[in-house]
Every structure is written in C-alpha cells, then in structure tokens.
Amino acid sequence: MENNKPIHKIRYGAIVASIWENQSKGGKTYPSVTVERLYKDDEDNWKSTGSLSRSDLPNAVKALDEAHTFLTREREDV
C-alpha cells in the first residue's frame, strides 16, 4: 500500500499524532501512530522532531489518548 499521507491527524499545541495505515507482506492492513513536535527554525521554516521536552508530554498524552480512541472506534465500525 503506497500511501504517504496519514489517515488521521490529531494536534495539541505543537504536538501532532499521525495515524497511518500500513500493509503487511500478507496483505493485512494495520494502523501505526507517530508523534512529533513542530517548531520553527532560525529562518522561520517549519520543522519537526520526535524529541519531546517535559512540557510537551501532557499534549503528547492527550494526542495519543485521542489516537487510541479514534482507532478503537474505527475498529468497532468494521
């Protein structure tokens, strides 16, 4: 499955959780979640990192909890 866009994004402040649909070699699809922090560099360009500071953690927890809820509800709809 060649898809470069997440199926769903959740944002809290500078924290973004992205939900991706992956496909195994056997053809079965399964979700995965990535978390990143957005920031602007010295030239005012948007960048992202997987490194989170202590102050980022509450928003990361909220984003991951919402990702879990999204995936749980999506599974119930199947």
Side-chain angles (χ1 to χ4, degrees):
M1 183 169 275
E2 190 71 27
N3 186 0
N4 294 332
K5 294 184 180 182
I7 60 170
H8 190 65
K9 279 190 172 189
I10 300 155
R11 183 169 178 178
Y12 283 93
I15 302 300
V16 178
S18 299
I19 301 172
W20 304 85
E21 189 171 83
N22 301 290
Q23 189 170 25
S24 69
K25 291 180 182 178
K28 185 176 179 181
T29 60
Y30 62 94
S32 65
V33 179
T34 58
V35 178
E36 61 187 340
R37 179 174 52 87
L38 303 176
Y39 67 95
K40 283 191 175 184
D41 66 11
D42 295 335
E43 297 169 2
D44 216 28
N45 298 313
W46 283 104
K47 303 283 184 171
S48 68
T49 181
S51 179
L52 307 178
S53 68
R54 179 174 52 185
S55 63
D56 294 323
L57 295 179
N59 283 342
V61 168
K62 289 177 187 177
L64 288 169
D65 183 51
E66 192 171 323
H68 177 262
T69 300
F70 175 85
L71 291 171
T72 301
R73 287 185 180 152
E74 187 174 87
R75 185 176 293 157
E76 289 173 356
D77 292 341
V78 174

